[in-house]
Structures are given as C-alpha cells and as structure tokens.
Coordinates of all heavy atoms in Angstrom, one line a residue:
M451 N -12.1 -5.9 8.3 CA -11.9 -5.9 6.9 C -10.4 -5.4 6.6 O -10.0 -4.5 7.2 CB -12.9 -4.9 6.3 CG -12.8 -4.9 4.8 SD -13.8 -3.5 4.2 CE -15.5 -4.1 4.5
N452 N -9.8 -6.1 5.7 CA -8.4 -5.7 5.4 C -8.5 -4.8 4.1 O -9.5 -4.6 3.5 CB -7.4 -6.8 5.2 CG -7.8 -7.7 4.1 OD1 -8.4 -7.3 3.1 ND2 -7.4 -9.0 4.1
I453 N -7.3 -4.2 3.8 CA -7.3 -3.3 2.7 C -7.6 -4.0 1.4 O -8.2 -3.4 0.5 CB -5.9 -2.6 2.7 CG1 -5.9 -1.4 1.8 CG2 -4.8 -3.5 2.2 CD1 -6.0 -0.1 2.5
K454 N -7.3 -5.2 1.3 CA -7.5 -5.9 0.0 C -9.0 -6.1 -0.2 O -9.5 -5.8 -1.3 CB -6.8 -7.2 -0.1 CG -6.9 -7.8 -1.5 CD -6.1 -9.0 -1.8 CE -6.4 -9.5 -3.2 NZ -5.7 -10.7 -3.5
S455 N -9.7 -6.5 0.8 CA -11.2 -6.7 0.6 C -11.9 -5.3 0.4 O -12.9 -5.3 -0.4 CB -11.8 -7.5 1.7 OG -11.6 -6.9 2.9
L456 N -11.4 -4.3 1.0 CA -11.9 -3.0 0.8 C -11.7 -2.6 -0.7 O -12.7 -2.1 -1.3 CB -11.2 -2.0 1.7 CG -11.7 -0.6 1.6 CD1 -13.1 -0.3 2.1 CD2 -10.7 0.4 2.3
L457 N -10.5 -2.8 -1.2 CA -10.2 -2.5 -2.6 C -11.1 -3.3 -3.6 O -11.6 -2.9 -4.6 CB -8.8 -2.6 -2.9 CG -7.9 -1.5 -2.4 CD1 -6.4 -1.9 -2.7 CD2 -8.2 -0.2 -3.1
Q458 N -11.3 -4.6 -3.2 CA -12.1 -5.5 -4.0 C -13.5 -4.9 -4.1 O -14.1 -5.0 -5.2 CB -12.1 -6.9 -3.4 CG -12.8 -7.9 -4.2 CD -12.1 -8.3 -5.5 OE1 -11.0 -8.8 -5.5 NE2 -12.7 -7.9 -6.6
R459 N -14.0 -4.4 -3.1 CA -15.4 -3.8 -3.1 C -15.4 -2.6 -4.1 O -16.4 -2.5 -4.8 CB -15.7 -3.3 -1.8 CG -16.2 -4.4 -0.8 CD -16.9 -3.7 0.3 NE -17.3 -4.7 1.3 CZ -18.1 -4.4 2.3 NH1 -18.6 -3.2 2.4 NH2 -18.5 -5.4 3.1
I460 N -14.4 -1.8 -4.0 CA -14.3 -0.7 -4.9 C -14.3 -1.1 -6.3 O -15.0 -0.7 -7.2 CB -13.1 0.3 -4.5 CG1 -13.3 0.8 -3.1 CG2 -13.0 1.4 -5.5 CD1 -12.0 1.5 -2.6
Q461 N -13.4 -2.1 -6.5 CA -13.2 -2.7 -7.9 C -14.5 -3.3 -8.4 O -14.9 -3.0 -9.5 CB -12.1 -3.8 -7.8 CG -12.0 -4.7 -9.0 CD -10.9 -4.3 -9.9 OE1 -10.2 -3.3 -9.6 NE2 -10.7 -5.0 -10.9
N462 N -15.2 -3.9 -7.5 CA -16.5 -4.5 -7.9 C -17.5 -3.5 -8.4 O -18.4 -3.7 -9.2 CB -17.1 -5.3 -6.8 CG -16.4 -6.6 -6.6 OD1 -15.6 -7.1 -7.5 ND2 -16.5 -7.2 -5.4
T463 N -17.4 -2.3 -7.8 CA -18.3 -1.2 -8.2 C -18.1 -0.8 -9.6 O -19.0 -0.5 -10.4 CB -18.1 0.0 -7.2 OG1 -18.1 -0.5 -5.9 CG2 -19.2 1.0 -7.4
F464 N -16.8 -0.7 -9.9 CA -16.5 -0.2 -11.3 C -16.4 -1.3 -12.3 O -16.7 -1.2 -13.5 CB -15.1 0.6 -11.3 CG -15.2 1.8 -10.4 CD1 -14.5 1.9 -9.3 CD2 -16.0 2.9 -10.8 CE1 -14.5 3.0 -8.5 CE2 -16.1 4.0 -10.0 CZ -15.3 4.1 -8.8
N465 N -15.8 -2.4 -11.9 CA -15.4 -3.5 -12.8 C -15.7 -4.9 -12.3 O -14.8 -5.6 -11.9 CB -13.8 -3.4 -13.0 CG -13.5 -2.7 -14.3 OD1 -14.2 -2.7 -15.3 ND2 -12.3 -2.1 -14.2
P466 N -17.0 -5.2 -12.2 CA -17.3 -6.5 -11.5 C -16.7 -7.7 -12.1 O -16.5 -8.7 -11.4 CB -18.9 -6.6 -11.6 CG -19.3 -5.2 -12.1 CD -18.1 -4.5 -12.7
Q467 N -16.4 -7.7 -13.4 CA -15.8 -8.9 -14.0 C -14.4 -9.2 -13.6 O -13.9 -10.3 -13.7 CB -16.0 -8.8 -15.5 CG -17.3 -8.8 -16.0 CD -17.9 -7.4 -16.2 OE1 -17.3 -6.5 -15.7 NE2 -19.1 -7.3 -16.7
E468 N -13.7 -8.1 -13.3 CA -12.3 -8.2 -13.1 C -11.9 -8.6 -11.7 O -12.4 -8.0 -10.7 CB -11.6 -6.9 -13.5 CG -11.1 -6.9 -14.9 CD -10.3 -5.6 -15.2 OE1 -9.4 -5.3 -14.4 OE2 -10.7 -5.0 -16.1
E469 N -11.0 -9.5 -11.5 CA -10.5 -9.9 -10.2 C -9.4 -8.9 -9.8 O -8.6 -8.5 -10.6 CB -10.0 -11.3 -10.2 CG -10.3 -12.0 -8.9 CD -9.4 -13.2 -8.7 OE1 -9.2 -14.0 -9.6 OE2 -8.9 -13.3 -7.6
L470 N -9.4 -8.5 -8.6 CA -8.4 -7.6 -8.1 C -7.1 -8.2 -8.0 O -6.9 -9.3 -7.5 CB -8.8 -7.1 -6.7 CG -7.9 -6.0 -6.1 CD1 -8.1 -4.7 -6.8 CD2 -8.3 -5.8 -4.6
Q471 N -6.1 -7.6 -8.5 CA -4.8 -8.2 -8.5 C -3.9 -7.6 -7.3 O -4.1 -6.4 -7.0 CB -4.0 -7.9 -9.8 CG -4.6 -8.7 -10.9 CD -4.2 -8.1 -12.3 OE1 -3.4 -7.2 -12.4 NE2 -4.9 -8.6 -13.3
D472 N -3.1 -8.5 -6.8 CA -2.2 -8.0 -5.6 C -1.4 -6.8 -6.0 O -1.2 -5.9 -5.2 CB -1.3 -9.1 -5.3 CG -2.0 -10.2 -4.5 OD1 -3.0 -9.9 -3.9 OD2 -1.5 -11.3 -4.4
E473 N -1.0 -6.8 -7.3 CA -0.2 -5.6 -7.8 C -1.0 -4.3 -7.6 O -0.4 -3.3 -7.2 CB -0.1 -5.9 -9.3 CG 1.0 -5.2 -10.0 CD 0.8 -5.3 -11.5 OE1 0.4 -6.4 -12.0 OE2 1.1 -4.3 -12.2
V474 N -2.3 -4.3 -7.8 CA -3.1 -3.1 -7.6 C -3.1 -2.7 -6.1 O -3.0 -1.5 -5.8 CB -4.5 -3.4 -8.1 CG1 -5.4 -2.2 -7.9 CG2 -4.5 -3.8 -9.6
V475 N -3.2 -3.7 -5.3 CA -3.2 -3.4 -3.8 C -1.9 -2.8 -3.4 O -1.8 -1.8 -2.7 CB -3.4 -4.7 -3.0 CG1 -3.4 -4.4 -1.5 CG2 -4.7 -5.4 -3.4
V476 N -0.8 -3.3 -4.0 CA 0.6 -2.8 -3.6 C 0.7 -1.3 -4.1 O 1.1 -0.5 -3.4 CB 1.7 -3.7 -4.3 CG1 3.0 -3.0 -4.2 CG2 1.7 -5.0 -3.6
K477 N 0.2 -1.1 -5.3 CA 0.3 0.3 -5.9 C -0.5 1.2 -5.0 O -0.2 2.3 -4.8 CB -0.1 0.3 -7.3 CG 0.9 -0.4 -8.2 CD 0.9 0.1 -9.6 CE 2.2 -0.4 -10.3 NZ 2.0 -1.1 -11.5
F478 N -1.7 0.7 -4.7 CA -2.6 1.6 -3.9 C -1.9 1.9 -2.6 O -1.9 3.1 -2.1 CB -3.9 0.8 -3.6 CG -4.9 1.6 -2.7 CD1 -5.6 2.7 -3.3 CD2 -5.1 1.3 -1.4 CE1 -6.5 3.4 -2.6 CE2 -6.0 2.0 -0.6 CZ -6.7 3.0 -1.2
L479 N -1.3 1.0 -2.0 CA -0.5 1.2 -0.7 C 0.6 2.2 -0.9 O 0.9 3.1 -0.1 CB 0.0 -0.1 -0.1 CG -1.1 -1.0 0.4 CD1 -0.5 -2.3 0.9 CD2 -1.8 -0.3 1.6
Q480 N 1.3 2.1 -2.1 CA 2.4 3.0 -2.4 C 1.8 4.4 -2.5 O 2.4 5.4 -2.1 CB 3.1 2.6 -3.7 CG 4.0 1.4 -3.5 CD 4.4 0.8 -4.8 OE1 3.9 1.1 -5.9 NE2 5.4 -0.1 -4.7
V481 N 0.7 4.5 -3.1 CA 0.1 5.9 -3.3 C -0.3 6.4 -2.0 O 0.0 7.6 -1.7 CB -1.2 5.8 -4.2 CG1 -1.9 7.1 -4.2 CG2 -0.8 5.4 -5.6
L482 N -0.8 5.6 -1.1 CA -1.2 6.0 0.3 C 0.1 6.6 1.0 O 0.1 7.6 1.7 CB -1.8 4.9 1.1 CG -3.2 4.6 0.9 CD1 -3.7 3.5 1.9 CD2 -4.1 5.8 0.9
E483 N 1.2 5.8 0.8 CA 2.5 6.2 1.4 C 2.8 7.6 0.9 O 3.2 8.5 1.7 CB 3.6 5.3 1.0 CG 3.5 3.9 1.6 CD 4.3 3.8 2.9 OE1 5.5 4.2 2.9 OE2 3.7 3.4 3.9
S484 N 2.7 7.8 -0.4 CA 3.1 9.1 -0.9 C 2.2 10.2 -0.5 O 2.7 11.4 -0.3 CB 3.2 9.0 -2.4 OG 2.0 8.8 -3.0
I485 N 1.0 10.0 -0.2 CA 0.1 11.1 0.3 C 0.6 11.5 1.7 O 0.6 12.6 2.0 CB -1.4 10.6 0.4 CG1 -1.9 10.1 -0.9 CG2 -2.2 11.7 1.0 CD1 -3.3 9.5 -0.8
R486 N 0.9 10.4 2.5 CA 1.3 10.7 3.8 C 2.6 11.6 3.9 O 2.7 12.5 4.7 CB 1.6 9.4 4.6 CG 0.9 9.4 5.9 CD 1.2 8.1 6.7 NE 0.9 6.9 6.0 CZ 1.7 5.9 6.0 NH1 2.8 5.9 6.7 NH2 1.3 4.7 5.3
E487 N 3.5 11.3 3.0 CA 4.8 12.0 3.0 C 4.6 13.4 2.5 O 5.0 14.4 3.1 CB 5.9 11.2 2.3 CG 6.4 10.1 3.1 CD 7.1 9.1 2.2 OE1 7.6 9.5 1.2 OE2 7.2 8.0 2.7
E488 N 4.1 13.5 1.2 CA 4.0 14.8 0.6 C 3.2 14.6 -0.7 O 2.7 13.5 -1.0 CB 5.4 15.3 0.2 CG 6.1 14.4 -0.8 CD 7.6 14.6 -0.9 OE1 7.9 15.7 -1.3 OE2 8.4 13.7 -0.6
E489 N 3.0 15.6 -1.4 CA 2.4 15.4 -2.7 C 3.3 14.6 -3.6 O 4.5 14.5 -3.4 CB 2.1 16.8 -3.4 CG 1.0 17.5 -2.7 CD 0.7 18.9 -3.3 OE1 1.6 19.3 -4.0 OE2 -0.3 19.4 -3.1
M490 N 2.6 14.0 -4.6 CA 3.4 13.1 -5.5 C 4.5 13.9 -6.2 O 4.3 15.0 -6.7 CB 2.4 12.5 -6.5 CG 3.1 11.5 -7.4 SD 1.9 10.7 -8.4 CE 1.3 9.5 -7.3
S491 N 5.7 13.3 -6.2 CA 6.8 13.9 -6.9 C 6.8 13.5 -8.3 O 6.2 12.5 -8.7 CB 8.1 13.6 -6.2 OG 8.4 12.2 -6.4
C492 N 7.6 14.2 -9.2 CA 7.7 13.8 -10.6 C 8.3 12.3 -10.7 O 7.8 11.6 -11.6 CB 8.6 14.7 -11.3 SG 7.8 16.3 -11.5
S493 N 9.2 11.9 -9.9 CA 9.7 10.6 -10.1 C 8.7 9.5 -9.7 O 8.6 8.5 -10.3 CB 11.0 10.4 -9.2 OG 10.8 10.6 -7.9
E494 N 7.9 9.8 -8.7 CA 6.8 8.8 -8.4 C 5.8 8.8 -9.5 O 5.3 7.8 -9.9 CB 6.1 9.3 -7.1 CG 6.8 8.9 -5.9 CD 6.2 9.6 -4.7 OE1 6.0 10.8 -4.7 OE2 5.9 8.9 -3.7
M495 N 5.6 10.0 -10.0 CA 4.7 10.1 -11.2 C 5.1 9.2 -12.3 O 4.4 8.5 -12.9 CB 4.7 11.6 -11.5 CG 4.1 11.9 -12.8 SD 2.3 11.8 -12.7 CE 2.0 11.8 -14.4
Y496 N 6.5 9.3 -12.6 CA 7.0 8.5 -13.8 C 6.9 7.0 -13.5 O 6.7 6.2 -14.4 CB 8.5 8.9 -14.0 CG 8.6 10.2 -14.8 CD1 9.4 11.2 -14.3 CD2 8.0 10.4 -16.0 CE1 9.5 12.4 -15.0 CE2 8.1 11.5 -16.7 CZ 8.9 12.6 -16.2 OH 9.0 13.8 -16.8
A497 N 6.9 6.6 -12.2 CA 6.8 5.2 -11.9 C 5.4 4.7 -12.2 O 5.2 3.5 -12.5 CB 7.1 5.0 -10.5
H498 N 4.4 5.6 -12.3 CA 3.0 5.1 -12.4 C 2.4 5.6 -13.7 O 1.2 5.1 -14.1 CB 2.1 5.7 -11.3 CG 2.6 5.2 -9.9 ND1 2.4 3.9 -9.6 CD2 3.2 5.8 -9.0 CE1 2.9 3.7 -8.4 NE2 3.4 4.9 -8.0
I499 N 3.1 6.4 -14.5 CA 2.4 7.1 -15.6 C 2.0 6.1 -16.7 O 1.0 6.2 -17.3 CB 3.2 8.2 -16.2 CG1 2.4 9.1 -17.1 CG2 4.5 7.7 -16.9 CD1 3.0 10.5 -17.4
D500 N 2.9 5.0 -16.9 CA 2.6 4.0 -17.9 C 1.2 3.4 -17.6 O 0.4 3.2 -18.5 CB 3.6 2.9 -18.0 CG 5.0 3.3 -18.2 OD1 5.3 4.5 -17.8 OD2 5.7 2.6 -18.8
E501 N 1.1 3.0 -16.4 CA -0.2 2.3 -16.0 C -1.3 3.3 -16.1 O -2.4 2.9 -16.6 CB 0.0 1.8 -14.5 CG -1.1 0.9 -14.1 CD -1.2 0.8 -12.6 OE1 -0.3 1.2 -11.9 OE2 -2.2 0.2 -12.2
F502 N -1.1 4.5 -15.7 CA -2.2 5.5 -15.8 C -2.7 5.7 -17.3 O -3.8 5.6 -17.6 CB -1.7 6.8 -15.3 CG -2.7 7.9 -15.2 CD1 -3.6 8.0 -14.2 CD2 -2.8 8.8 -16.3 CE1 -4.5 9.0 -14.1 CE2 -3.8 9.8 -16.2 CZ -4.6 9.9 -15.2
V503 N -1.7 5.8 -18.2 CA -2.1 6.0 -19.5 C -2.7 4.8 -20.2 O -3.7 4.9 -20.9 CB -0.8 6.4 -20.4 CG1 -1.1 6.5 -21.9 CG2 -0.2 7.8 -19.9
E504 N -2.2 3.6 -19.8 CA -2.7 2.4 -20.3 C -4.2 2.2 -19.9 O -5.1 1.9 -20.7 CB -1.9 1.2 -19.8 CG -1.5 0.3 -20.8 CD -0.6 -0.8 -20.2 OE1 -1.2 -1.8 -19.7 OE2 0.6 -0.6 -20.3
R505 N -4.4 2.6 -18.6 CA -5.8 2.5 -18.1 C -6.7 3.5 -18.8 O -7.8 3.2 -19.1 CB -5.7 2.8 -16.6 CG -6.9 2.4 -15.8 CD -6.6 2.5 -14.3 NE -6.0 1.3 -13.7 CZ -6.7 0.2 -13.5 NH1 -8.0 0.1 -13.7 NH2 -6.1 -0.8 -13.0
E506 N -6.2 4.6 -19.0 CA -7.0 5.7 -19.6 C -7.4 5.2 -21.1 O -8.5 5.4 -21.5 CB -6.1 7.0 -19.7 CG -6.9 8.2 -20.2 CD -8.0 8.6 -19.3 OE1 -8.0 8.3 -18.1 OE2 -9.0 9.2 -19.9
V507 N -6.4 4.6 -21.8 CA -6.7 4.2 -23.1 C -7.6 3.0 -23.2 O -8.6 2.9 -23.9 CB -5.4 3.9 -23.9 CG1 -5.6 3.2 -25.2 CG2 -4.5 5.1 -24.1
N508 N -7.4 2.1 -22.3 CA -8.2 0.8 -22.3 C -9.6 0.9 -21.7 O -10.5 0.4 -22.2 CB -7.4 -0.3 -21.6 CG -6.2 -0.7 -22.4 OD1 -6.2 -0.6 -23.6 ND2 -5.1 -1.1 -21.7
S509 N -9.6 1.5 -20.5 CA -10.9 1.6 -19.8 C -11.4 2.9 -19.5 O -12.5 3.1 -18.9 CB -10.9 0.6 -18.6 OG -9.7 0.8 -17.9
N510 N -10.6 3.9 -19.8 CA -11.0 5.3 -19.6 C -11.4 5.7 -18.1 O -12.3 6.5 -17.9 CB -12.2 5.6 -20.5 CG -12.3 7.1 -20.9 OD1 -11.2 7.7 -20.9 ND2 -13.4 7.6 -21.1
D511 N -10.8 5.0 -17.2 CA -11.2 5.2 -15.8 C -10.0 5.6 -14.9 O -10.0 5.6 -13.7 CB -11.9 4.0 -15.2 CG -11.0 2.8 -15.1 OD1 -9.9 2.8 -15.6 OD2 -11.4 1.8 -14.5
A512 N -8.9 6.0 -15.6 CA -7.6 6.3 -14.9 C -7.9 7.4 -13.9 O -7.3 7.3 -12.7 CB -6.6 6.7 -15.9
K513 N -8.6 8.4 -14.2 CA -8.8 9.5 -13.3 C -9.5 9.0 -12.0 O -9.2 9.6 -10.9 CB -9.6 10.6 -13.9 CG -8.9 11.2 -15.1 CD -9.8 12.2 -15.8 CE -9.2 12.7 -17.1 NZ -9.3 11.7 -18.2
K514 N -10.4 8.1 -12.1 CA -11.1 7.6 -11.0 C -10.2 6.7 -10.1 O -10.2 6.8 -8.9 CB -12.3 6.7 -11.4 CG -13.6 7.4 -11.3 CD -14.7 6.4 -11.6 CE -14.8 6.1 -13.1 NZ -15.8 5.2 -13.5
I515 N -9.4 5.9 -10.7 CA -8.6 4.9 -10.0 C -7.3 5.6 -9.5 O -6.9 5.2 -8.4 CB -8.2 3.7 -10.9 CG1 -9.4 3.2 -11.7 CG2 -7.4 2.7 -10.2 CD1 -10.1 2.0 -11.0
M516 N -6.8 6.5 -10.2 CA -5.5 7.1 -9.8 C -5.6 8.6 -9.8 O -5.0 9.3 -10.6 CB -4.4 6.7 -10.8 CG -4.3 5.1 -10.9 SD -3.3 4.6 -12.3 CE -1.7 4.5 -11.5
P517 N -6.5 9.2 -8.9 CA -6.7 10.6 -9.0 C -5.5 11.5 -8.7 O -5.4 12.6 -9.2 CB -7.7 10.8 -7.9 CG -7.7 9.6 -7.0 CD -7.2 8.5 -7.9
L518 N -4.5 10.9 -7.9 CA -3.3 11.6 -7.6 C -2.4 11.9 -8.8 O -1.8 13.0 -9.0 CB -2.5 10.9 -6.6 CG -2.8 11.0 -5.1 CD1 -1.9 10.2 -4.3 CD2 -2.8 12.5 -4.7
I519 N -2.5 11.0 -9.7 CA -1.7 11.1 -11.0 C -2.3 12.2 -11.8 O -1.6 13.1 -12.3 CB -1.7 9.8 -11.7 CG1 -1.2 8.6 -10.9 CG2 -0.8 9.9 -13.0 CD1 0.2 8.2 -11.1
Q520 N -3.6 12.2 -11.9 CA -4.3 13.2 -12.6 C -4.0 14.6 -12.1 O -3.8 15.5 -12.8 CB -5.8 12.9 -12.6 CG -6.7 13.9 -13.4 CD -6.3 13.9 -14.9 OE1 -6.1 12.9 -15.5 NE2 -6.1 15.1 -15.4
E521 N -4.1 14.6 -10.8 CA -3.8 15.9 -10.1 C -2.5 16.4 -10.4 O -2.2 17.6 -10.7 CB -3.9 15.6 -8.6 CG -4.4 16.8 -7.7 CD -4.6 16.3 -6.3 OE1 -5.7 15.7 -6.1 OE2 -3.8 16.5 -5.5
H522 N -1.5 15.5 -10.4 CA -0.1 15.9 -10.7 C 0.0 16.4 -12.2 O 0.7 17.4 -12.4 CB 0.9 14.8 -10.4 CG 2.3 15.2 -10.5 ND1 3.1 15.5 -9.5 CD2 3.1 15.4 -11.7 CE1 4.3 15.9 -9.9 NE2 4.3 15.8 -11.2
I523 N -0.6 15.7 -13.1 CA -0.6 16.1 -14.5 C -1.1 17.4 -14.7 O -0.6 18.2 -15.4 CB -1.4 15.0 -15.3 CG1 -0.6 13.7 -15.4 CG2 -1.6 15.6 -16.8 CD1 -1.4 12.6 -16.0
D524 N -2.2 17.7 -13.9 CA -2.9 19.0 -14.1 C -2.0 20.2 -13.6 O -2.1 21.3 -14.1 CB -4.2 19.1 -13.2 CG -5.2 18.2 -13.9 OD1 -5.1 17.9 -15.1 OD2 -6.2 17.9 -13.2
M525 N -1.1 19.9 -12.6 CA -0.4 21.0 -12.1 C 1.1 21.0 -12.5 O 1.8 22.0 -12.2 CB -0.5 21.1 -10.6 CG 0.0 19.9 -9.9 SD -0.2 19.9 -8.1 CE 1.0 18.7 -7.6
C526 N 1.6 20.0 -13.2 CA 3.0 19.9 -13.6 C 3.1 19.8 -15.1 O 2.8 18.8 -15.7 CB 3.6 18.7 -12.9 SG 5.3 18.5 -13.3
P527 N 3.5 20.9 -15.7 CA 3.6 20.9 -17.2 C 4.5 19.9 -17.8 O 4.3 19.3 -18.8 CB 4.1 22.3 -17.5 CG 4.1 23.1 -16.3 CD 3.9 22.2 -15.1
D528 N 5.6 19.6 -17.1 CA 6.6 18.6 -17.6 C 5.9 17.2 -17.7 O 6.0 16.5 -18.7 CB 7.8 18.4 -16.6 CG 8.7 19.7 -16.7 OD1 8.5 20.4 -17.7 OD2 9.6 19.8 -15.9
C529 N 5.2 16.8 -16.6 CA 4.6 15.5 -16.6 C 3.4 15.5 -17.5 O 3.0 14.5 -18.1 CB 4.2 15.2 -15.2 SG 5.6 14.8 -14.1
C530 N 2.8 16.6 -17.7 CA 1.6 16.7 -18.6 C 2.1 16.5 -20.1 O 1.5 15.7 -20.8 CB 1.0 18.1 -18.5 SG -0.5 18.2 -19.5
D531 N 3.3 17.0 -20.4 CA 3.9 16.7 -21.7 C 4.2 15.2 -21.9 O 3.8 14.6 -22.9 CB 5.2 17.5 -21.9 CG 5.0 18.9 -22.2 OD1 3.8 19.4 -22.4 OD2 6.0 19.7 -22.2
E532 N 4.8 14.7 -20.9 CA 5.1 13.2 -20.9 C 3.8 12.4 -21.0 O 3.8 11.5 -21.8 CB 5.8 12.9 -19.5 CG 6.2 11.5 -19.3 CD 7.4 11.1 -20.2 OE1 8.1 12.0 -20.7 OE2 7.6 9.9 -20.4
Y533 N 2.8 12.8 -20.3 CA 1.6 12.1 -20.4 C 0.9 12.1 -21.7 O 0.5 11.1 -22.3 CB 0.6 12.7 -19.3 CG -0.9 12.4 -19.5 CD1 -1.3 11.1 -19.2 CD2 -1.8 13.3 -20.0 CE1 -2.7 10.7 -19.4 CE2 -3.1 13.0 -20.2 CZ -3.6 11.7 -19.9 OH -4.9 11.3 -20.1
E534 N 1.0 13.3 -22.4 CA 0.4 13.5 -23.7 C 1.1 12.7 -24.7 O 0.6 12.1 -25.7 CB 0.2 14.9 -24.0 CG -1.0 15.5 -23.4 CD -1.1 17.0 -23.5 OE1 -0.2 17.7 -24.0 OE2 -2.1 17.6 -22.9
A535 N 2.5 12.7 -24.6 CA 3.3 11.9 -25.5 C 3.0 10.5 -25.4 O 2.8 9.8 -26.4 CB 4.8 12.2 -25.2
L536 N 3.0 9.9 -24.2 CA 2.7 8.5 -24.0 C 1.3 8.2 -24.5 O 1.1 7.1 -25.1 CB 2.7 8.2 -22.5 CG 4.1 7.6 -22.0 CD1 4.0 7.6 -20.5 CD2 4.3 6.3 -22.6
L537 N 0.3 9.1 -24.3 CA -1.0 8.8 -24.6 C -1.1 8.7 -26.1 O -1.8 7.8 -26.6 CB -1.9 9.9 -24.1 CG -3.4 9.8 -24.2 CD1 -3.9 8.6 -23.3 CD2 -4.1 11.0 -23.9
S538 N -0.4 9.6 -26.9 CA -0.6 9.5 -28.3 C 0.1 8.2 -28.8 O -0.3 7.6 -29.8 CB 0.0 10.8 -29.0 OG 1.3 10.9 -28.9
V539 N 1.2 7.8 -28.2 CA 1.9 6.6 -28.6 C 1.0 5.4 -28.4 O 0.8 4.6 -29.3 CB 3.2 6.4 -27.8 CG1 3.8 5.0 -28.0 CG2 4.3 7.4 -28.2
L540 N 0.4 5.3 -27.3 CA -0.5 4.2 -27.0 C -1.7 4.2 -27.8 O -2.2 3.1 -28.3 CB -0.9 4.2 -25.5 CG -0.1 3.4 -24.6 CD1 -0.7 3.4 -23.2 CD2 0.0 1.9 -25.0
E541 N -2.3 5.3 -28.1 CA -3.5 5.4 -28.9 C -3.1 4.9 -30.4 O -4.0 4.3 -31.0 CB -4.1 6.8 -28.9 CG -5.0 6.9 -27.8 CD -5.5 8.3 -27.6 OE1 -4.9 9.3 -28.1 OE2 -6.5 8.5 -26.8
H542 N -1.9 5.2 -30.8 CA -1.5 4.8 -32.1 C -1.3 3.3 -32.2 O -1.7 2.6 -33.1 CB -0.3 5.5 -32.6 CG -0.7 6.9 -33.1 ND1 -0.6 8.0 -32.4 CD2 -1.2 7.3 -34.4 CE1 -1.0 9.1 -33.1 NE2 -1.3 8.6 -34.3
T543 N -0.7 2.7 -31.1 CA -0.4 1.3 -31.1 C -1.7 0.5 -31.0 O -1.8 -0.7 -31.4 CB 0.6 0.9 -30.0 OG1 0.2 1.5 -28.8 CG2 2.0 1.2 -30.3
K544 N -2.7 1.1 -30.4 CA -4.0 0.4 -30.2 C -4.7 0.2 -31.6 O -5.3 -0.8 -31.7 CB -4.8 1.3 -29.3 CG -5.9 0.5 -28.5 CD -6.8 1.4 -27.8 CE -8.0 0.7 -27.3 NZ -9.1 1.6 -26.8
E545 N -4.5 1.1 -32.5 CA -5.2 1.0 -33.7 C -4.7 -0.1 -34.6 O -3.6 -0.5 -34.6 CB -5.1 2.3 -34.5 CG -6.0 3.4 -34.0 CD -5.6 4.8 -34.4 OE1 -4.8 5.0 -35.3 OE2 -6.2 5.7 -33.8
Ligands
ZN1206 ZN1 5.8 16.3 -12.4

C-alpha cells in the first residue's frame, strides 16, 4: 500500500464523496517531514494556515486533518492571532 491509497482510505472515512487530490498527499508528506525535523515552525505554519482556516470554515474538520497546525495555534500566541484574523475575514466573505 502506498501513502496515497492510505490517505484515500482516511479521506473516505471522513469525506466519501471527495476524491483525494495529489496536493493533499504532498502537503501530508510535507507535514511528516516537519514532524521528523522538529515541531512546526511559524513559517511552516504560515504556509498552511490559509488552507487550515478555509477547511475550518468550509467543513469544520481542520483540526482532524491538520492537527499539527491546531497544536501550533494553541501554543503560539502570534499564530493564534493570525489564525483568528484570517478566520474572521473568511467567515465574513462567506456570508
Ligand atoms: Zn507560531
């Protein structure tokens, strides 16, 4: 089993209608890389925060899919501010 089919299974559990995108696989691998090296840094966080917030607004499953980002937001006040700012912007544009 390769990493993509593994992720597809996970995806099917949460979102059976959606097809897994290669982009998601790549991001997952990037996250794995960052775990191996160290905890997520603020710059890595910024690279993923848009997606995280978008996911949170659209399907409310960001914490499940990207737990590392959530973890970072919880312990880093700067990124938490950024997250909250982005979240309120996105929630307003959604309306
Ligand atoms: Zn941070």
